[in-house]
Amino acid sequence: QVQLVESGGGLVQAGGSLRLSCAASGRTFGRYAMGWFRQPPGKEREFVASIRWTGGTTSYADFVKGRFTISKDNAKNTVYLQMNSLKPLDTAVYYCAATTTGWSIVDYWGQGTQVTVSS
């Protein structure tokens, strides 16, 4: 059974930092790209960042470039999202995801973790 389990969310003041983790299990993910999406209150889910499990190529949404960093630990089968200089607009449920074909078709989703940034 494939599982993506997020952790690390919480409440932080504007300007602060959080690190989200996504522990992946249940299969080998070498062919996958791993990503982070978020869904702000009352809005659609949106892409945040991704990283290829093999090779480590990364991609970011424009609104997080320079503030967020995606990384992975192969030994722990875990993907991270380091979030710095957080803004109230970053408040959302953050989801981990995995795909082999591209983000229009997500193979697996995590359950989500809440990030709240206070002003």
Side-chain angles (χ1 to χ4, degrees):
Q1 180 183 359
V2 174
Q3 282 192 307
L4 303 178
V5 180
E6 301 99 333
S7 61
L11 174 64
V12 64
Q13 287 190 328
S17 299
L18 282 175
R19 189 177 79 157
L20 305 183
S21 300
C22 171
S25 63
R27 67 167 303 134
T28 55
F29 287 89
R31 294 173 52 243
Y32 284 77
M34 306 296 294
W36 289 95
F37 287 72
R38 71 185 188 185
Q39 188 164 17
K43 296 185 178 181
E44 298 290 317
R45 194 174 299 190
E46 59 188 3
F47 171 81
V48 175
S50 67
I51 186 168
R52 293 208 62 83
W53 203 266
T54 300
T57 302
T58 59
S59 179
Y60 295 92
D62 286 344
F63 54 78
V64 301
K65 283 182 180 176
R67 299 190 299 127
F68 292 9
T69 303
I70 190 170
S71 62
K72 61 183 176 68
D73 184 328
N74 289 359
K76 295 182 179 180
N77 244 27
T78 299
V79 176
Y80 303 98
L81 185 68
Q82 177 67 44
M83 305 187 295
N84 298 329
S85 302
L86 282 162
K87 307 173 183 179
L89 284 176
D90 294 318
T91 294
V93 178
Y94 283 73
Y95 296 90
C96 182
T99 182
T100 56
T101 57
W103 295 113
S104 59
I105 303 175
V106 173
D107 295 289
Y108 305 107
W109 288 102
Q111 82 287 353
T113 185
Q114 176 70 47
V115 171
T116 303
V117 184
S118 64
S119 56

